[in-house]
């Protein structure tokens, strides 16, 4: 085992446009956006290769980084979504769990409310109007403020051509931060 290795943690926001975020102890951030092939299916082989390349060193080379823990968002079916989209969401989540288990990566499933409670500390919740016109917490907006407070220099756009921040990248980094703090 390497004596001067750097520890790192991952956060995984599953979904058709999810993201894996790697965060090391020096707060270096790497995003791996989950994309569909031809707009239809997730490329699981590509995801598995990305994970494998980071978990196992090449040949006899000593590892420079040691993956400490992964937080995978504990998701459930979404009320109001179609059966097809809920099935797809569950399928992606299960496939990611299978890949992590295959490579013996330590992971914990964490409910969104748990990591949000931890990382929203000191952040004034962003409000938006609900369907009934009453104010409700804008979860994505509040997470973005918390993320920018913790990581002011991180670009949360999915690609350089994007104009807006991507909440999947934000959530993945927040889960990686939660993993770093707790595991």
């Amino acid at each position: 085992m390497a004596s001067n290795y750097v520890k790192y943690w991952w956060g995984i926001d599953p979904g058709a446009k999810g993201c894996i975020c790697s965060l090391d102890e020096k707060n270096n951030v790497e995003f791996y956006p989950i994309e569909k092939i031809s707009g239809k299916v997730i490329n699981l082989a590509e995801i598995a290769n990305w994970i494998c390349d980071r978990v196992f060193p090449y040949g006899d080379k000593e590892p420079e980084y040691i993956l400490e823990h992964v937080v995978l968002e504990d998701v459930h079916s979404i009320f109001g979504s179609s059966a097809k989209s809920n099935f797809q969401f569950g399928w992606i989540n299960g496939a990611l769990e299978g890949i992590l288990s295959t490579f013996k990566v330590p992971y914990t499933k964490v409910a969104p409310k748990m990591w949000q409670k931890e990382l929203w500390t000191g952040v004034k919740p962003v409000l938006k109007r609900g369907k009934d016109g009453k104010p409700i917490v804008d979860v994505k907006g509040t997470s973005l403020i918390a993320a920018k407070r913790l990581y002011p220099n991180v670009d949360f756009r999915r690609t350089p051509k994007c104009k807006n921040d991507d909440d999947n990248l934000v959530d993945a980094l927040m889960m990686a931060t939660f993993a770093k703090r707790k595991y």
Side-chain angles (χ1 to χ4, degrees):
M1 187 62 62
S3 58
N4 294 323
Y5 63 86
V6 176
K7 296 177 183 178
Y8 67 111
W9 298 262
W10 290 352
I12 302 178
D13 181 21
K17 288 202 162 214
C19 183
I20 302 171
C21 177
S22 177
L23 174 67
D24 73 17
E25 61 190 345
K26 297 176 183 177
N27 284 338
N28 294 310
V29 175
E30 178 186 10
F31 292 115
Y32 178 78
I34 297 172
E35 303 290 347
K36 289 184 176 181
I37 306 169
S38 307
K40 296 194 179 219
V41 296
I42 302 295
N43 188 343
L44 293 178
E46 188 176 300
I47 294 170
N49 286 336
W50 187 89
I51 291 172
C52 183
D53 289 348
R54 280 145 188 85
V55 172
F56 301 108
Y58 295 102
D60 295 333
K61 183 180 174 188
E62 286 284 329
E64 296 173 15
Y65 293 88
I66 302 297
L67 179 58
E68 290 290 316
H69 204 82
V70 174
V71 164
L72 176 63
E73 192 166 45
D74 189 11
V75 293
H76 304 283
S77 63
I78 300 168
F79 180 75
S81 294
S82 70
K84 181 180 178 183
S85 66
N86 276 318
F87 182 82
Q88 180 72 10
F89 197 50
W91 177 83
I92 293 166
N93 195 38
L96 289 167
E97 278 193 80
I99 293 168
L100 294 172
S101 296
T102 298
F103 293 131
K104 297 181 176 151
V105 174
Y107 73 94
T108 302
K109 293 176 76 171
V110 176
K113 289 190 184 288
M114 184 180 286
W115 64 260
Q116 290 164 354
K117 181 180 178 185
E118 169 86 15
L119 298 171
W120 288 5
T121 302
V123 174
K124 184 178 177 183
V126 175
L127 298 177
K128 65 180 181 179
R129 294 213 182 270
K131 291 180 182 179
D132 60 0
K134 294 181 181 176
I136 59 171
V137 174
D138 179 353
V139 174
K140 300 302 182 185
T142 305
S143 290
L144 179 60
I145 289 173
K148 286 187 172 187
R149 182 191 63 168
L150 292 169
Y151 305 98
N153 298 320
V154 172
D155 182 2
F156 290 105
R157 295 175 301 155
R158 197 165 188 90
T159 69
K161 292 181 180 181
C162 291
K163 293 181 181 177
N164 299 322
D165 294 317
D166 187 308
D167 56 77
N168 300 290
L169 276 65
V170 170
D171 287 357
L173 177 54
M174 293 290 89
M175 285 180 274
T177 303
F178 184 84
K180 182 179 176 183
R181 289 182 181 185
K182 299 293 183 182
Y183 305 99

